[in-house]
Amino acid sequence: MENIEMEKSKVLIIVEIIEYVPNAVVIKTILKKTTGNVSVVSFDSGENLTEKMSAFDTFIQIIEGQAEILINDKSHDLKTGQSVIIPANSRNTIKANERFKMISTIIKSGYE
């Protein structure tokens, strides 16, 4: 995982800043702050992120392909252009039944 932010004031074509890697999930950080972060992620077909629970809301937006997002065991099939908010403290898994790219935005403020 790369934790260096992207260059600021530079125009980005978001689907082009990350590539697919065979049999892998690749994460590239766009912004990383104490109050949250934005990352772009690519999943090769058959890959997934194991079930986890975050203390913060997470906004997932599919920018290429199709993903299966499980939130508290309920499946959501998302296609390019679709998004979902994973509520804080919810069990979630992200699966690639086919390869896809997404943007993940985590907001860490407002929970005080």
Side-chain angles (χ1 to χ4, degrees):
M1 181 165 71
E2 194 172 313
N3 285 320
I4 300 171
E5 287 186 4
M6 299 295 298
E7 182 181 341
K8 294 181 175 123
S9 299
K10 179 181 176 183
V11 175
L12 304 171
I13 300 173
I14 202 74
V15 296
E16 293 180 1
I17 65 171
I18 194 162
E19 298 296 326
Y20 294 107
V21 174
N23 305 309
V25 175
V26 180
I27 302 171
K28 188 164 193 160
T29 302
I30 297 172
L31 290 170
K32 186 171 184 73
K33 304 292 181 197
T34 57
T35 54
N37 60 62
V38 179
S39 301
V40 63
V41 187
S42 70
F43 288 73
D44 195 21
S45 181
E47 297 299 312
N48 65 62
L49 294 180
T50 56
E51 184 176 274
K52 66 177 186 171
M53 188 179 297
S54 172
F56 310 105
D57 290 338
T58 303
F59 177 72
I60 301 294
Q61 179 182 14
I62 306 306
I63 57 173
E64 183 175 275
Q66 182 174 341
E68 181 182 4
I69 314 289
L70 283 93
I71 303 171
N72 292 327
D73 298 322
K74 182 178 179 190
S75 179
H76 303 272
D77 290 318
L78 278 69
K79 297 177 181 150
T80 301
Q82 294 182 316
S83 58
V84 67
I85 297 171
I86 300 172
N89 303 308
S90 296
R91 291 179 293 106
N92 64 87
T93 305
I94 300 175
K95 295 183 177 185
N97 298 321
E98 63 181 62
R99 66 187 200 166
F100 74 94
K101 295 178 183 178
M102 70 178 202
I103 298 171
S104 172
T105 304
I106 299 172
I107 305 299
K108 296 180 180 178
S109 62
Y111 295 91
E112 300 79 30

